[in-house]
Structure formats: structure tokens, C-alpha cells
């Protein structure tokens, strides 16, 4: 029985290690104007390792991936291909991301436009590309997913319905950095919707206007972000892998929550700036240390009259310090997807989503782990799990250094 559990745990560990560098989200703005179509595509740079057939574990400069990026996007107008006029690649070191700007010309006109996105979907079914479409001083939103790879937009029909015409030029910068980030609904193909439904999904673009609406879609974004961040998930699981009183666990979780909320806010607001090259190895190190600490508590021999509170009296502040590091890690996605407007509302919703995702993990595992420690092999399983957690953290640490 113990042997089977160990084998299963090792296989699970290998699968986590193999996918630890992936992020579930990329970001795109699409501008449609008289010159053609402009796509600004932003993604975490280490995701591009999925496009490297040489199995190189080091991320190359942004321009190295340009052929793969341009092949992954396709723009078609009136059922004919548009021409790629120019492409620019640059690094965004603050969030360890690369950004690609693709300019397309459609000499046949843009009565109907199709945009295809086909990056990562085969290797990475959970990937989502959040996109905003800017056209005729209006904005729409959608998500490209594994089974929704093509956006079909009846441009002429929409312009006639709105009584508008295409703008004569593109924005000088990525427009969603200056404008409100709107709510993201379910992924859809606009071809499947009526012109009326599309019109109802459109928002007027007013550059420089200050928006104050709270976007609840960031709650789900925060939840999925923590669920797909295996280093964060393992850290939370590690909190459960030693027997303790419920009040003690509540103190630890509260310490972690308070700490990462502080640094998440400071990072997103620009008060604190730590590059991912420092933060990501430190997050891996917290997993290593917490797993080792679990082993210390599991296998030392406390006196019979020592209470849980006395036994773990110093653990809460260690978790608090580690939470400060994790909060900076949480901030990078929100920085990538957010503009300057309504940052407080998005920060509140995103952090609420992170907390709900964290609570869901704990609720899901609390009873099984409690039952495990009632089993005669419970302490051994807790020790093995903690050891594997430290091992995975060590491997991530080496990879990120």
C-alpha cells in the first residue's frame, strides 16, 4: 500500500515539474482600422519554450520566436489572406513577458474579417488568450481557447448598423493600457451571434476617461490563476501536511492571506517592484523550506504535555514572510492584463478570487488529510508528501535560477 502511494506521488510530482513553467493566460489587443489589422500579443516569455523543438530550457531573445508567432496568427479578409507588413518583438522585463506587434494589410477590403489563433492549443488545452477588439471607436471582447480558435467579424454589417466608419489610423500604443479592461464573458465566435447581440457586447472607447466599475470577471481570473500555479498550490497543501488544531491552521492561512494581499497590492500599484527573476526562485525556495519544516515537526519527539499552540508557536510568522513573496508572484498576471484605469476594483476582485481559490483547495483536502492522520500510516504519508514537495520545490528552484 505504502509503495503504491509513493509511486503515484512520484508520477504526480514528475507531471507537475514538467508543466511548472506554464501560465494559463496570454493577452491580445486587436485593432481594426482603414490601414488593416494590428495585433499586439503579450505572453510570459517562458511559455515560448513550448515552441522550441530543440528542447532548450533557456528562453531565447524575443525575435527568435517571431516565425512561430507569425505562423500562429492568421488574418483573412473577404476569404483571402491579409499580408503581414511588419512585425516587432520586444521584451517586457518587469513582468518577464514578450510582446509581439503584427501589422497586416488587407488590399481586398475588410467587409468580413477572420482572425485565427493557433498557438499552444495542442500541447496546452487549458490555455486561454484574452482579447479585446477595437473597431470604429468601439470595443468588444472575447477569449481564444482550445475549441474557439477563430474570430469571424462581419465588419461591414456592423459599421452599417452602428452608423460609423473605420478609424484612419491605429492607436500609437496598446490601447487597453489606456482604457478600461472590460468584463470577459464566455468564449464565443462572433459569427455565431447576431448583429444585435454583437452590438450589445460593444462598449464605446473614450480615451482618458476614468472608469470606476468593478469587474467581477477578475474573481474567476484570480481563482484559476492560483489553481494553475502549482508552486502556490503545493505551498497551501504543505500547510495541511502536519497534524494540528483547526485554530492553528486558521492562523496560518490568515497569515498567508494577509501577507500576500499586502505585496500583491503594493506591486500592482507600483509601490513595490521586484522582477520575476528574483521572485520565482524565492517562491520555489519557500516550498522547499516549508516541506523540510514539516519533516522536522513530524519526526521530532515533543513532550506529551506540549500543546499544538506551543509546538507550532513560531510557524505563523514564517508563513507570513513566505506569503509576502507569493503576493509579488500573484501580481505579475494582474499587471499584464490591467491598464491604469480602475486598478482598485480589479485588484479587489482579483485578490478575492485568489482567496476563494485558496479556500477551495483547503476545503477539498481538509477532511481527507484529517482522515489520513487518523490512519496508522498517516504520519508516514505526511512525511513522504512533504519530502516530495521539497523535492519539487528544489527542482523548480534549480530551473528558475
Amino acid at each position: 500500500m505504502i509503495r503504491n502511494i509513493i509511486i503515484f506521488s512520484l508520477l504526480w510530482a514528475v507531471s507537475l515539474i514538467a508543466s511548472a513553467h506554464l501560465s494559463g493566460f496570454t493577452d491580445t489587443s486587436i485593432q481594426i482600422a482603414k490601414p488593416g489589422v494590428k495585433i499586439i500579443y503579450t505572453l510570459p516569455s517562458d511559455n515560448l519554450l513550448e515552441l522550441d523543438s530543440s528542447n532548450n530550457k533557456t528562453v531565447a531573445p524575443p525575435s527568435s520566436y517571431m516565425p512561430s508567432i507569425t505562423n500562429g496568427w492568421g488574418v483573412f479578409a473577404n476569404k483571402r489572406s491579409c499580408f503581414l507588413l511588419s512585425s516587432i518583438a520586444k521584451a517586457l522585463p518587469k513582468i518577464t513577458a514578450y510582446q509581439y506587434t503584427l501589422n497586416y494589410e488587407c488590399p481586398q477590403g475588410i467587409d468580413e474579417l477572420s482572425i485565427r489563433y493557433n498557438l499552444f492549443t495542442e500541447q496546452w488545452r487549458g490555455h486561454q488568450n484574452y482579447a479585446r477588439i477595437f473597431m470604429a471607436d468601439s470595443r468588444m471582447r472575447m477569449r481564444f481557447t482550445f475549441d474557439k480558435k477563430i474570430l469571424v467579424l462581419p465588419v461591414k454589417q456592423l459599421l452599417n448598423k452602428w452608423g460609423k466608419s473605420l478609424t484612419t489610423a491605429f492607436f500609437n500604443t496598446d490601447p487597453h493600457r489606456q482604457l478600461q479592461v472590460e468584463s470577459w464573458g464566455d468564449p464565443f465566435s462572433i459569427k455565431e451571434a447576431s448583429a444585435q447581440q454583437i452590438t450589445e457586447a460593444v462598449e464605446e472607447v473614450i480615451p482618458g476617461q476614468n472608469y470606476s466599475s468593478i469587474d467581477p470577471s477578475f474573481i474567476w481570473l484570480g481563482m484559476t490563476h492560483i489553481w494553475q500555479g502549482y508552486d502556490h498550490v503545493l505551498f497551501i497543501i504543505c500547510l495541511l501536511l502536519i497534524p494540528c488544531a483547526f485554530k492553528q491552521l486558521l492562523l496560518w492561512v490568515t497569515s498567508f492571506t494577509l501577507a500576500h494581499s499586502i505585496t500583491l497590492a503594493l506591486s500592482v500599484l507600483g509601490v513595490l517592484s521586484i522582477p520575476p527573476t528574483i521572485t520565482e526562485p524565492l517562491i520555489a525556495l519557500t516550498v522547499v523550506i516549508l516541506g523540510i519544516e514539516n519533516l522536522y515537526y513530524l519526526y521530532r519527539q515533543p513532550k506529551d504535555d506540549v500543546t499544538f499552540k506551543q509546538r507550532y508557536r513560531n510557524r505563523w510568522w514564517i508563513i507570513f514572510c513566505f506569503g509576502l513573496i507569493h503576493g509579488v508572484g500573484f501580481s505579475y498576471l494582474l499587471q499584464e492584463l490591467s491598464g491604469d484605469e480602475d486598478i482598485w476594483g480589479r485588484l479587489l476582485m482579483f485578490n478575492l478570487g485568489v482567496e476563494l481559490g485558496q479556500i477551495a483547495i483547503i476545503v477539498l483536502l481538509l477532511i481527507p488529510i484529517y482522515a489520513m492522520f487518523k490512519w496508522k500510516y498517516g504520519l508516514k504519508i505526511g512525511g513522504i508528501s512533504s519530502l516530495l514537495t521539497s523535492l519539487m520545490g528544489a527542482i523548480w528552484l534549480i530551473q528558475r535560477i
Side-chain angles (χ1 to χ4, degrees), residues 24 26 28 30 73 115-118 121 126-133 142-152 187-188:
T26 52
T28 304
I30 300 171
W73 285 96
I115 299 176
R116 185 198 70 226
Y117 174 75
N118 194 31
T121 49
H127 168 60
Q128 299 180 65
N129 180 4
Y130 287 85
R132 288 146 308 280
I133 302 98
M142 69 164 293
R143 284 181 291 165
F144 291 101
T145 63
F146 178 77
D147 56 349
K148 299 289 183 180
K149 303 177 184 179
I150 299 177
L151 162 67
V152 181
F188 65 94

Side-chain angles (χ1 to χ4, degrees), residues 197-243:
Q197 290 172 319
I198 297 172
T199 300
E200 291 173 354
V202 170
E203 300 174 358
E204 295 296 316
V205 172
I206 307 176
Q209 178 172 336
N210 185 21
Y211 293 83
S212 60
S213 60
I214 292 179
D215 187 351
S217 65
F218 276 82
I219 296 177
W220 179 248
L221 195 64
M223 293 172 68
T224 53
H225 182 52
I226 192 169
W227 291 338
Q228 294 182 3
Y230 294 128
D231 43 9
H232 304 302
V233 171
L234 280 187
F235 185 89
I236 294 170
I237 292 175
C238 222
L239 298 179
L240 305 173
L241 290 179
I242 56 175

Side-chain angles (χ1 to χ4, degrees), residues 106-120:
C106 306
Q108 65 272 30
I110 314 178
D111 292 340
E112 182 177 274
L113 187 68
S114 298
I115 299 176
R116 185 198 70 226
Y117 174 75
N118 194 31
L119 278 163
F120 303 112

Side-chain angles (χ1 to χ4, degrees), residues 301-319:
Q301 298 297 324
K303 297 179 181 178
D304 293 337
D305 59 345
V306 172
T307 64
F308 281 128
K309 183 177 181 180
Q310 294 170 323
R311 187 177 184 183
Y312 303 131
R313 63 182 179 274
N314 296 323
R315 188 172 169 87
W316 73 269
W317 66 264
I318 296 174
I319 293 171

Side-chain angles (χ1 to χ4, degrees), residues 2 5-6 9-10 12 237-243 287-300 311-312 315 369 372-373 375-392:
I2 298 296
I5 293 175
I6 294 174
S9 300
L10 286 172
W12 177 62
I237 292 175
C238 222
L239 298 179
L240 305 173
L241 290 179
I242 56 175
V287 176
V288 175
I289 294 174
L290 199 63
I292 293 174
E293 189 186 32
N294 280 358
L295 293 173
Y296 168 74
Y297 284 123
L298 284 168
Y299 293 110
R300 76 169 183 167
R311 187 177 184 183
Y312 303 131
R315 188 172 169 87
I369 290 180
M372 179 188 77
F373 282 120
W375 187 35
K376 63 179 180 179
Y377 296 115
L379 292 178
K380 291 183 179 180
I381 300 302
I384 293 170
S385 301
S386 297
L387 181 62
L388 287 173
T389 298
S390 289
L391 174 62
M392 285 186 282

Side-chain angles (χ1 to χ4, degrees), residues 30 32-33 36-37 74-82 104-116 133 135 140 150-160 166 189-195 198:
I30 300 171
I32 303 168
V37 178
V75 178
F76 307 88
N78 302 339
K79 300 182 179 180
R80 295 175 59 187
S81 295
C82 296
Y104 294 86
E105 183 183 52
C106 306
Q108 65 272 30
I110 314 178
D111 292 340
E112 182 177 274
L113 187 68
S114 298
I115 299 176
R116 185 198 70 226
I133 302 98
M135 184 178 77
M140 295 163 281
I150 299 177
L151 162 67
V152 181
L153 193 66
V155 175
K156 184 177 180 180
Q157 181 184 359
L158 289 174
L159 292 176
N160 289 338
L166 294 176
S189 169
I190 291 183
K191 188 175 183 180
E192 300 169 357
S194 67
I198 297 172

